[in-house]
Amino acid sequence: MTNDSAPQPLPGASEAPETVSRALVPQLLHAAVTAVGGVERPGQVQMAEAVADAVEHGEHLLVQAGTGTGKSLAYLVPALAHGDRVVVATATLALQRQLVERDLPRTVEALHPVLRRRPLYAMLKGRSNYLCLHRANEGTPSDEGEGLFDPVEALGGPTGKLGQDVLRLREWADETETGDRDDLSPGVSDKAWAQLSVTSKECLGATKCAYGQECFAEKARERAKLADVVVTNHAMLAIDAIEGAPVLPEHAMLIIDEAHELVNRVTGAATAELTVGAVNRAVKRAAKLANEKAVDQLQAAAENYHGLMETAQPGRVEELPEYLAYAVAGIRDACRQVITSLGEVRDKALTDEDAVRKQAMASAESLHETAERLLGESDYDVVWIERSDRYGLGTASLRVAPLSVSGLLRENLYKERSVVLTSATLKLGGDFNGVAASVGLPAEGRLPDSRGPGEPELEIGEDTPPYWRGIDVGSPFSYPKQGILYVARHLPPPGREPDRPEMLDELADLIGAAGGRTLGLFSSMRAAQTAAEALRGRLGNRILLQGEDTLGELIREFASDPETCLFGTLSLWQGVDVPGSACQLVVMDRIPFPRPDDPLMSARQKAVEEAGGNGFMAVAATHAALLMAQGAGRLVRAADDRGVVAVLDPRLATARYGGFFRSSMPDFWYTTDRNQVRRSLAAIDASASPVRPVAKRNG
C-alpha cells in the first residue's frame, strides 16, 4: 500500500516497504509514542532495540518491563518494522482491546511514512467466543427432548432471565459485525451464551452449514489470515501448541505479553475432567440418534461411575484403583460404541439432525479422549479426585493435568520463529532462570543479556537448545522513594485457620492510619471473608468484598472513594489498576504458598525433588513469589503514587527464603518498624490528592 502524497521514508529505510533498518527502531518508537500521546522512556527504547535484535538474529527474548514502561509499543514497533506476520498473545481481554482499539491503529498510522504501508491487524479467539448463526436462527440441540428446541421457550419463556438473554442475543445477531461475545454490552450469563454458541467439535463446518458464508468465527479466521498482526490469547496459543493442528496463521514472530500467566493458561488448556454431569449429558445427547444398545451401555457406565464418585475421597491418585479403572474403561468403551453408531447415521444432506449429531459426537469424543488419558496413566500426567464445592459434599470428578508444560512449550513454541516473552514479573529471586525453565527455555541456552559487538551468529541444529537472552529494562518509577515494604515481624506465624486475631488488629491499625485506601490481598476467600466480617464491625470505613458484586463494579467503587477498602483473593492479586490516592495501602495476609494438599503442585514439587532439585523453592516458593510480585505491583501505578505494601506474615523477614521473595518484588524501601509505617501512612493520607479517574495502561 503506497500513496504518492504520503510523507517520504526516513533516511536509512530499505527501499522495500516490508522492512526497515534496525537502526531506525528508536526513531520509529519516538513517532509511535508521540502518536499515542505518551512520553518515551529509556527502558522502552532498550526493550524495542532488544526485540529488534532478537527477531533479526532468530533468538528468543525474556523482557521484564516494570509498570509504566510502555512495553506494548516497545514490541509492536520492531515487530511492524520487521515486516513479517507477528502473533501477539495476551492473558487478558483488557490488553487485547487496548492493542486492537488504541495502540495498533495509532502505531500503524505513525509508522506509515517509513513503512510506506499500513499493516493490517485482527483479533482471533476460540470458536465458542463467537455467536453461532445456525443456532441463533435454527435453534439449539436440546438435552431434554428430540431434535432442536426454541431456547426462549425452553428457558422459561421471554419473561425469564435466560429467555430474555437469548432473545437479546438473537436481536444482537442481526446487528453485530463481529459476533464476538466481548463486544456484547451488557453481557449475558455463560448458560445463555452456550445456547447460541458452539465449540469447534460441535460446529457443522462452513461448507455444510447454511450460514457458513456469514459465520462470525470463519470471518475472524479469514481476517487473521490476511493480517500482519494477529492478536490472540494464551488459550489459543496453547491449543495451537497442544493439538498439533494449527489454529493460528503462519507467523515469523511470536510475542507473549503477560507471560507470567503462560504456564497456568497452558496447563489449564491441557487439563481434562471426567464429571458425572458430562457423562449424563452425553447419554441424553446420544439417545436421540445412536442405537439403543450403545446408549444403554453408556447409561449403565454413567450410573456405575456416579455411584463411585459419590463416596470418592479427594486427593491425588497415583494409580487408579481397579474398581475405578473398570468404571472409566466402561465409559471409554461405551463412548466408542456411541461414536461408531453416530457415524453410521450420518446424512449427507444438511438437516437439523446434523446439529444434534455433531453435539452428541462432540460429547462422546471428548469423554472417550479423557477416559483414554486417565487409563494411560502416563508418567507425564497427574491424576486426582476433586470435589468442586467448598464443603466437599456432592459428587466428585476425576481430573488429569500435565506434570509439566515446559517440554511441550520447548517443542512447539521455539523452533519455527523468534519468541519474545514479556511481563512486569519474570525475574524471581533476582534471576530469569526459574521462569525461563518453566516456559521451556533451559539454562544451557542462555546467552549474555545483550548482543556484543561482532558477536557471531549461532549454529542452530536439531539438538541445540533454544537460545535466549533475558533483560530487565526496569521501570520509570522510583520505587524506593514511592513505596515502603513493611513486614509485620512481631506477629506470630500464620497457621491453617483464617482467624488470626493479632493479624486483624494489625490490619485494623494500618487501615486506620491510611484513612481507608486499602487493597486487601488474601490467600483464600475464606480469609478475606473472615477479615471483612471482623473489620466491618470495628472500622468506620466501607469494606467491599470480592464476590458481593462484579469485579469491575467493585474496582470502580473502590477507585471512586478514598475511604473505601477492597478485600479479595486471586483475581485481585493481578490486574487491578487503580492509580492515585484511592489505593495507598496494599496488604497481603500471608505468603501465598499453594495448599499442601494441592495435587498438581505437590506432584510437581515431588518430581523436582526426585530429580535432585529443591522442590519447595522450584515450585511452592516460585508460585508464591510470582503472586507476591504481582500483588506488590498494585501499589505504584503512576509517577506520583505513594504508599505501603504491608505483608502480615513474619516469615518474609525471618525465614531463610524471605530474601528470595523480597528480591522478586519491586525495590521498595524495606522496614519492620510498625510505628514508622503508621507515621508514613498518616502523612500520605494527610497529603493525599483528590482521587483521579482510573487510568488505562500506557502501551
Side-chain angles (χ1 to χ4, degrees), residues 133-141 148-151 170 195-196 355:
L133 288 171
H134 184 270
R135 285 198 169 183
N137 290 288
E138 307 296 338
T140 307
L148 303 185
F149 76 92
D150 184 320
R170 281 179 168 174
Q195 309 306 313
L196 299 186

Side-chain angles (χ1 to χ4, degrees), residues 80-93:
L80 292 170
H82 181 65
D84 290 322
R85 180 185 285 126
V86 58
V87 168
V88 180
T90 78
T92 61
L93 172 64

Side-chain angles (χ1 to χ4, degrees), residues 36-222:
V36 300
V39 177
E40 207 172 339
R41 292 114 184 194
Q44 193 176 39
V45 176
Q46 183 187 358
M47 177 175 173
E49 292 177 332
V51 171
D53 277 337
V55 70
E56 181 179 336
H57 297 285
E59 299 168 357
H60 311 297
L61 181 68
L62 268 66
V63 187
Q64 177 159 293
T67 305
T69 301
K71 60 180 166 44
S72 60
L73 289 186
Y75 61 66
L76 285 178
V77 167
L80 292 170
H82 181 65
D84 290 322
R85 180 185 285 126
V86 58
V87 168
V88 180
T90 78
T92 61
L93 172 64
L95 183 52
Q96 290 171 43
R97 283 196 172 279
Q98 176 187 301
L99 290 171
V100 172
E101 296 176 4
R102 191 188 78 169
D103 293 346
L104 276 165
R106 296 179 184 180
T107 305
V108 164
E109 287 303 314
L111 301 189
H112 176 240
V114 181
L115 301 180
R116 295 185 294 179
R117 65 189 180 98
R118 290 182 175 86
L120 301 175
Y121 48 87
M123 190 182 294
L124 182 62
K125 304 176 183 177
R127 186 173 293 275
S128 60
N129 290 279
Y130 301 96
L131 184 140
C132 172
L133 288 171
H134 184 270
R135 285 198 169 183
N137 290 288
E138 307 296 338
T140 307
S142 169
D143 287 334
E144 303 302 329
E146 294 295 327
L148 303 185
F149 76 92
D150 184 320
V152 175
E153 295 302 321
L155 297 173
T159 58
K161 179 66 169 65
L162 281 174
Q164 289 177 342
D165 282 346
V166 169
L167 278 176
R168 184 157 64 87
L169 283 172
R170 281 179 168 174
E171 293 170 358
W172 183 68
D174 295 327
E175 304 166 1
T176 176
E177 295 183 2
T178 66
D180 185 338
R181 181 179 182 179
D182 293 318
D183 291 338
L184 176 67
S185 182
V188 297
S189 67
D190 290 346
K191 189 170 184 179
W193 182 258
Q195 309 306 313
L196 299 186
S197 64
V198 295
T199 65
S200 58
K201 289 185 177 181
E202 292 172 337
C203 176
L204 293 169
T207 57
K208 289 196 66 178
C209 180
Y211 304 91
Q213 295 299 312
E214 307 164 59
C215 175
F216 295 121
E218 292 298 323
K219 285 182 177 180
R221 278 154 180 72
E222 289 304 312

Side-chain angles (χ1 to χ4, degrees), residues 220-492:
R221 278 154 180 72
E222 289 304 312
R223 287 193 295 270
K225 288 178 183 177
L226 299 174
D228 300 279
V229 179
V230 178
V231 178
T232 188
N233 52 50
H234 290 183
M236 282 286 282
L237 184 63
I239 292 168
D240 195 72
I242 292 167
E243 297 192 353
V247 295
L248 298 172
E250 289 188 8
H251 50 284
M253 184 179 183
L254 170 63
I255 296 167
I256 303 174
D257 205 340
E258 302 171 308
H260 62 278
E261 279 285 310
L262 181 64
V263 169
N264 285 339
R265 301 300 173 104
V266 175
T267 299
T271 298
E273 187 175 21
L274 189 64
T275 69
V276 170
V279 181
N280 287 334
R281 280 193 300 274
V283 172
K284 292 177 181 178
R285 291 171 178 178
K288 301 165 189 173
L289 290 176
N291 66 54
E292 187 175 345
K293 181 179 178 181
V295 175
D296 287 347
Q297 184 179 345
L298 184 56
Q299 176 70 55
E303 291 172 358
N304 184 36
Y305 183 65
H306 189 178
L308 293 175
M309 288 292 102
E310 279 189 317
T311 57
Q313 296 302 307
R316 185 180 177 190
V317 180
E318 299 204 32
E319 183 178 350
L320 283 178
E322 186 176 352
Y323 69 90
L324 196 51
Y326 179 81
V328 174
I331 293 172
R332 178 199 60 190
D333 296 342
C335 284
R336 187 184 297 126
Q337 294 302 315
V338 167
I339 292 167
T340 300
S341 176
L342 290 171
E344 292 169 352
V345 300
R346 181 185 302 209
D347 189 344
K348 293 181 180 180
L350 176 64
T351 65
D352 287 349
E353 192 175 87
D354 284 321
V356 178
R357 187 186 64 80
K358 285 289 286 187
Q359 188 183 62
M361 185 74 84
S363 285
E365 287 176 345
S366 177
L367 288 175
H368 184 269
E369 290 170 8
T370 301
E372 283 272 66
R373 187 173 167 191
L374 287 164
L375 292 167
E377 296 187 339
S378 167
D379 291 339
Y380 301 105
D381 273 338
V382 179
V383 177
W384 71 96
I385 295 171
E386 183 172 288
R387 293 187 180 277
S388 58
D389 60 275
R390 188 182 309 163
Y391 302 106
L393 303 174
T395 304
S397 62
L398 275 169
R399 304 197 82 196
V400 55
L403 181 62
S404 170
V405 298
S406 60
L408 176 72
L409 294 174
R410 177 171 173 169
E411 286 298 311
N412 292 283
L413 280 193
Y414 305 109
K415 288 185 176 180
E416 304 296 331
R417 71 287 227 195
S418 289
V419 181
V420 175
L421 301 102
T422 184
S423 167
T425 49
L426 290 180
K427 288 176 72 175
L428 299 180
D431 192 88
F432 282 108
N433 285 343
V435 169
S438 73
V439 297
L441 293 172
E444 60 266 26
R446 184 166 188 181
L447 302 172
D449 291 353
S450 59
R451 172 170 287 275
E455 185 177 326
E457 294 294 325
L458 295 163
E459 293 289 337
I460 300 176
E462 191 67 30
D463 297 325
T464 57
Y467 290 111
W468 60 279
R469 302 181 195 271
I471 63 168
D472 181 357
V473 300
S475 168
F477 304 145
S478 177
Y479 288 125
K481 294 180 179 179
Q482 292 184 248
I484 297 172
L485 173 60
Y486 164 59
V487 180
R489 184 177 182 138
H490 62 283
L491 291 178

Side-chain angles (χ1 to χ4, degrees), residues 646-658:
V647 181
L648 308 185
D649 186 337
R651 294 174 295 177
L652 192 64
T654 59
R656 270 194 303 180
Y657 51 74

